[in-house]
Amino acid sequence: MLDTDPPFRPVRRKEGYLPLEDLGFIGDGETAALIGLDGSIPWLCLPRFDSEPLVCGLLDHARGGHFTLTVEDLLEARQFYEPDTAVLVTELRGPAGLVRITDALALRAGADLSDDAGAGRAELVRSAVVLSGTARLRAELEPRGGGQARALGSGLEVRASRRPDLRLHLRSNRQLTSPRTVHDLEQGDRLDLVLSWGRIHRHHRFAPEAMLRDTADAWRRWMTKCSYDGPEAALVRRAVITLKLCDDWVNGSLVAAPTSSLPAPIGGVRNWDYRYTWIRDAAYAVFALRRVGFGEEADAFLGWVLDAFEQSRGPRIMYTLGGEPVPEEIQDTELEGYRRSAPVRWGNGAADQRQHDVYGEVLDCADQWLLPGRELQPPLWSRLAELADAAASTWRQPDQGIWEVRSEGRVFTFSAGMCQVTLDRAAAIGERLGMPGQAATWRAEAEKLRRIILDQSWDEKAQCLSEHLDGGGSLDASLLALPLRKVIPADHPRMAATTAAIAERLSAGDGLLYRYLHDRSPDGLPGDEGAFLLCSFWLVDNLILQGELERAEDLYTSLCARASPLGLLPEQIDPSTGRFMGNFPQAFSHIGIIASGVNLARAKAGTTT
């Protein structure tokens, strides 16, 4: 649960790894870092989110490398963010004193985070001050694969063996004789470290306190736009910042998560690289952000989606942050994986899958982008119209579905539903703007497909819509998204019955939901998985639309309580322990916090959701 003034607690590792709940998250719109409760940085990719990690102790505590600043003989610690910022504070208590470390990926002075422009300085600031007593601080920068360091200017030039392309410079207010130093400090003493890459800052003024202040100011200016006033307001505001930290501020794209290969579950093989942009994630993100006051970010995402779509020969389910094809999936056999959960993967093999929902995501993004009155150029309209024409028949063909199963394709109900969205949005655009095309035909096909979904996926014996159009009674929590995309009204008797069936049959306990049951819906991979958080937020939204506000609010409150003390959520939850699983932090989960909070607030106020 989010706690802005958390208590101190002991630092615990299991098999050499911190629990995901004990990791903080900072970023600058180009990359991100995870910072442990013990002052370690076990994850940092430079210079971009999807670059090879400089340190990835998160995936191999012995060989992955780290950037640690900590108190020797650490007893207990706590972490919190400076309000409305991505500046992270870690307080460490040792045998004889208390130390505060402030971490940030620094932003330029005066930066406007609403601009489609880079705001980062390519610098990581770690600033420690002894609040009371005395402390021995240990500072270590150990890149994966090791490296060499030499004195240069006011600090050290570090050459990482695996990353000869990086020019790293480590500066400090205290003498650094190597990347591994120990400093004995008294109350009021400071140890400042600044790691720079890209352009070298060694001749610049060394001003870490000013850099931290400028960074916090930039975040707070940006957060003044947040219009949310509803349940769990502090957590929703934190979720907005987390979503912004997953955003590539120059390109307007969004990583599904800033990490790779965090397992779901521990010891399993469901370990994927999420440092890319899924079209569906962008579509959900823009809708959530626009509703809480961040129209510029929403427009940047929408523009990126349409540009990526135009540049590729056909719609792809995911792209790199720059809109290029995602690298081929490979396994890294040198790393043992988080808590020995191999394999570690780079790239994503699902990138070339057939997932027909992408048609609807592109058309939905286009519809949102055009609503403020933007002009639709004929070449783009021609491409969008082609998708609508294709969707009219494509829904009959098997695909891998929203969950990217690695088994033989089926005709998924959700995929058919998103083809209905394709036809509906194309018709809406054509009708609204008077564009040439077959708007009337698309409208008729959309209504026909809606009826087909209600009829063909309905299983009379199971009393629910099925995950596949041929019925069969097997359930998939993605069906909860159909009312949210306006395919089927949430209060339609068959949708209401499906909602109740999912809540009961896919329950993992205490409001958590499985995406599907592996014994009923084989996905081509061994083992089970945890509860998928976004599905529970979709259940909240359906309950709201069905008028069950008390149930919806109770469920929403329980889901929000599962956030870490820093207000962060993973992809999945282990139902037996409540522990975090899967890639972290997961953009989808934070989208759920925002969207469901808005829906609840509007429903309680009696306004349209």
Side-chain angles (χ1 to χ4, degrees):
M1 178 182 295
L2 174 65
D3 191 342
T4 57
D5 186 21
F8 283 89
R9 51 198 169 96
V11 176
R12 303 293 187 214
R13 288 179 174 264
K14 191 164 187 178
E15 300 166 344
Y17 297 89
L18 290 171
L20 301 183
E21 301 93 302
D22 287 353
L23 295 171
F25 179 41
I26 61 173
D28 64 358
E30 293 184 50
T31 190
L34 297 183
I35 300 174
L37 184 63
D38 62 352
S40 65
I41 294 182
W43 182 261
L44 175 63
C45 297
L46 296 180
R48 303 193 53 75
F49 291 103
D50 53 1
S51 301
E52 178 180 341
L54 174 69
V55 298
C56 57
L58 185 68
L59 300 179
D60 193 315
H61 71 93
R63 293 173 292 184
H66 59 94
F67 183 14
T68 294
L69 179 57
T70 193
V71 173
E72 290 203 343
D73 300 319
L74 178 63
L75 299 176
E76 56 183 7
R78 67 175 190 160
Q79 282 184 311
F80 54 91
Y81 285 105
E82 292 190 6
D84 274 353
T85 79
V87 177
L88 182 67
V89 175
T90 305
E91 292 186 346
L92 308 171
R93 193 185 305 280
L98 177 63
V99 175
R100 173 177 291 171
I101 300 173
T102 306
D103 286 298
L105 280 160
L107 305 179
R108 291 181 287 101
D112 182 353
L113 306 193
S114 298
D115 283 347
D116 295 342
R121 293 173 50 98
E123 292 185 290
L124 169 62
V125 181
R126 312 207 68 189
S127 181
V129 59
V130 180
L131 298 180
S132 63
T134 62
R136 171 165 287 186
L137 289 184
R138 176 169 50 87
E140 295 183 0
L141 173 59
E142 180 66 28
R144 179 189 177 186
Q148 301 294 323
R150 67 184 181 99
L152 187 66
S154 60
L156 298 174
E157 181 185 58
V158 180
R159 293 285 184 177
S161 299
R162 292 181 59 95
R163 296 296 309 278
D165 56 309
L166 286 178
R167 294 189 65 195
L168 302 171
H169 195 243
L170 183 63
R171 293 184 292 164
S172 177
N173 63 329
R174 296 178 179 271
Q175 184 177 6
L176 297 178
T177 56
S178 82
R180 292 166 290 279
T181 54
V182 175
H183 307 266
D184 290 308
L185 304 180
E186 298 180 351
Q187 183 171 332
D189 289 345
R190 303 184 64 89
L191 172 62
D192 295 313
L193 299 170
V194 176
L195 177 66
S196 307
W197 55 94
R199 56 197 176 98
I200 295 300
H201 298 260
R202 62 190 178 90
H203 297 300
H204 293 194
R205 183 170 66 93
F206 186 72
E209 290 182 82
M211 292 163 66
L212 291 171
R213 184 170 58 251
D214 291 339
T215 301
D217 288 347
W219 280 106
R220 290 190 177 111
R221 281 194 303 273
W222 182 73
M223 281 299 291
T224 59
K225 297 190 306 177
C226 185
S227 60
Y228 182 79
D229 182 20
E232 303 288 344
L235 183 62
V236 170
R237 293 179 74 86
R238 178 51 51 191
V240 167
I241 294 173
T242 301
L243 211 53
K244 181 69 171 176
L245 287 170
C246 292
D247 176 12
D248 181 315
W249 300 351
V250 174
N251 290 306
S253 47
L254 175 89
V255 293
T259 50
S260 176
S261 303
L262 291 176
I266 301 298
V269 299
R270 298 168 183 269
N271 314 332
W272 314 114
D273 191 349
Y274 277 10
R275 300 172 302 151
Y276 306 108
T277 299
W278 274 251
I279 296 296
R280 75 174 65 92
D281 295 49
Y284 279 101
V286 299
F287 190 60
L289 285 172
R290 190 182 298 283
R291 298 173 86 195
V292 291
F294 295 93
E296 293 90 344
E297 284 72 20
D299 290 343
F301 286 148
L302 293 171
W304 179 90
V305 168
L306 296 180
D307 186 62
F309 163 62
E310 283 192 284
Q311 295 301 317
S312 57
R313 293 184 178 180
R316 307 178 70 90
I317 66 168
M318 73 178 86
Y319 297 84
T320 67
L321 297 169
E324 301 298 325
V326 169
E328 181 180 350
E329 183 175 298
I330 61 172
Q331 294 188 12
D332 190 332
T333 58
E334 294 182 3
L335 300 175
E336 71 171 13
Y338 178 76
R339 290 184 55 188
R340 302 175 185 168
S341 299
V344 169
R345 307 179 202 261
W346 310 119
N348 198 300
D352 294 323
Q353 284 188 354
R354 290 168 60 88
Q355 295 180 25
H356 301 323
D357 72 299
V358 71
Y359 291 17
E361 306 297 0
V362 171
L363 262 297
D364 196 36
C365 283
D367 188 39
Q368 291 186 57
W369 187 77
L370 291 164
L371 278 175
R374 291 188 175 88
E375 182 180 357
L376 178 56
Q377 295 295 328
L380 177 55
W381 173 241
S382 177
R383 295 288 307 280
L384 295 174
E386 289 174 3
L387 283 188
D389 289 337
S393 59
T394 297
W395 65 265
R396 297 181 175 89
Q397 302 172 9
D399 73 346
Q400 264 57 52
I402 182 176
W403 306 128
E404 300 172 359
V405 298
R406 301 206 173 191
S407 55
E408 186 177 352
R410 296 283 301 272
V411 180
F412 285 90
T413 303
F414 177 80
S415 298
M418 290 306 294
C419 286
Q420 193 277 342
V421 169
T422 310
L423 294 161
D424 177 83
R425 304 305 191 267
I429 294 169
E431 293 161 355
R432 191 169 66 243
L433 301 182
M435 302 300 294
Q438 305 182 67
T441 300
W442 295 330
R443 178 66 65 201
E445 288 293 324
E447 293 306 311
K448 177 182 176 182
L449 184 49
R450 189 195 317 272
R451 291 193 298 273
I452 288 173
I453 291 168
L454 280 168
D455 292 342
Q456 293 189 10
S457 71
W458 177 255
D459 188 284
E460 186 65 27
K461 181 178 179 180
Q463 284 293 294
C464 65
L465 301 173
S466 303
E467 66 175 328
H468 303 125
L469 269 194
D470 57 5
S474 58
L475 279 170
D476 177 344
S478 68
L479 297 171
L480 293 172
L482 295 180
L484 312 183
R485 310 311 287 271
K486 301 181 179 179
V487 178
I488 303 171
D491 57 358
H492 187 286
R494 292 191 170 183
M495 189 65 229
T498 302
T499 302
I502 289 173
E504 177 186 352
R505 300 176 208 167
L506 296 185
S507 173
D510 298 324
L512 297 175
L513 294 176
Y514 295 111
R515 296 187 291 181
Y516 46 86
L517 300 179
H518 292 253
D519 58 344
R520 297 290 306 276
S521 306
D523 59 10
L525 293 164
D528 291 325
E529 59 182 5
F532 201 85
L533 278 167
L534 182 63
C535 298
S536 291
F537 286 111
W538 286 345
L539 178 57
V540 170
D541 296 334
N542 276 263
L543 292 173
I544 294 168
L545 292 169
Q546 292 166 11
E548 297 194 50
L549 291 188
E550 185 174 347
R551 276 187 66 196
E553 188 161 21
D554 287 347
L555 176 55
Y556 181 70
T557 300
S558 73
L559 295 172
C560 290
R562 293 186 179 276
S564 75
L566 290 172
L568 302 175
L569 283 173
E571 176 187 31
Q572 299 181 25
I573 295 286
D574 182 339
S576 64
T577 64
R579 291 293 191 183
F580 289 3
M581 298 168 54
N583 280 299
F584 170 84
Q586 176 82 350
F588 248 163
S589 300
H590 296 87
I591 290 168
I593 291 173
I594 299 167
S596 295
V598 170
N599 288 338
L600 263 176
R602 293 186 178 185
K604 292 174 71 173
T607 57
T608 303
T609 59

